[in-house]
Amino acid sequence: MIRVVLAHPSSLVCDLLRKTLNNEEDVYLAGSANTIEELEFLLPHTNIVLISKEFEGGDITNILQDIREKYPEIKLLVLEVAEEPGLIIKYIEAGADGYILEDESVEKMMGKVRASDEDEALVSPAVAAVLMDRLAELANIDTPLAFMEARDNMIDKLTSREEEVLELVAEGCTNKEIAGELFIECGT
């Protein structure tokens, strides 16, 4: 059973989508949310979130990132997207698993919901081409930006003593050599 949560600022849209989803035999509507607080309450009860790009409570990319970080198993589909590949890539990089175009039919929406539930994604050829370009671009980066940011954050948290040890490790010193250099026990 596919458990879906609707996240949209309009109660009218949520009601219309609820009626549509209730007609599907393999879908259970776990709830609908008009605010970020309601959404956060419903997240533990779903495996797919249909979220409006206009959802209240902050920038949609930040909301996607927060959900992805807290609930990596939940599939996120952004609703009412214009077919602008650059914007769709932005949503995907923020954590979206797919998108529903603003002019797509209910049939296509349900196809994307079911595909997402099966760990698949249905994308237009235009978006697929931009995705391929973005992957090629990322493949040519020597050190990915996310890795560099994580590394910098971790280095900032080191004590001065840990920095000394790290410098010696970078120089190729063994544990025994580091212990001798810093006048500590090897086990430390």
Side-chain angles (χ1 to χ4, degrees):
M1 181 69 64
I2 304 170
R3 295 181 325 276
V4 176
V5 164
L6 302 172
H8 199 287
S10 167
S11 295
L12 176 63
V13 172
C14 283
D15 287 345
L16 291 170
L17 285 172
R18 180 182 300 115
K19 288 181 182 179
T20 298
L21 293 171
N22 282 338
N23 290 330
E24 302 295 323
E25 291 180 15
D26 59 340
V27 175
Y28 170 74
L29 182 62
S32 60
N34 301 115
T35 66
I36 193 71
E37 292 81 15
E38 292 172 344
L39 178 58
E40 287 173 353
F41 176 78
L42 292 170
L43 286 173
H45 309 287
T46 189
N47 58 344
I48 294 183
V49 174
L50 297 176
I51 186 167
S52 170
K53 66 180 173 67
E54 304 296 331
F55 191 68
E56 296 176 6
D59 177 40
I60 186 67
T61 56
N62 291 337
I63 294 170
L64 292 170
Q65 288 170 343
D66 288 345
I67 295 171
R68 176 65 57 228
E69 189 175 299
K70 294 175 189 171
Y71 300 95
E73 70 283 358
I74 292 178
K75 304 296 183 195
L76 304 168
L77 299 177
V78 181
L79 291 168
E80 306 163 328
V81 175
E83 192 164 10
E84 296 175 32
L87 187 58
I88 292 170
I89 299 302
K90 180 180 169 186
Y91 294 146
I92 292 169
E93 288 180 339
D97 295 288
Y99 59 93
I100 312 288
L101 295 175
E102 56 194 356
D103 60 352
E104 283 186 319
S105 67
V106 169
E107 209 172 272
K108 284 189 176 183
M109 177 188 76
M110 290 311 304
K112 288 184 175 184
V113 167
R114 288 184 178 99
S116 185
D117 186 57
E118 297 291 325
D119 294 325
E120 298 173 356
L122 301 177
V123 298
S124 70
V127 172
V130 173
L131 277 170
M132 296 301 288
D133 289 343
R134 181 67 176 132
L135 284 173
E137 179 184 322
L138 290 172
N140 290 324
I141 295 175
D142 289 335
T143 307
L145 182 60
F147 173 78
M148 292 180 349
E149 288 174 359
R151 182 196 62 202
D152 291 344
N153 287 338
M154 291 171 57
I155 289 175
D156 290 343
K157 294 177 183 175
L158 294 177
T159 65
S160 58
R161 190 61 158 187
E162 289 170 331
E163 286 178 9
E164 289 177 304
V165 171
L166 184 58
E167 285 177 29
L168 292 170
V169 168
E171 291 174 13
C173 295
T174 65
N175 287 353
K176 189 174 181 178
E177 292 168 334
I178 294 170
E181 181 76 25
L182 299 178
F183 306 104
I184 56 176
E185 292 291 323
C186 192
T188 302

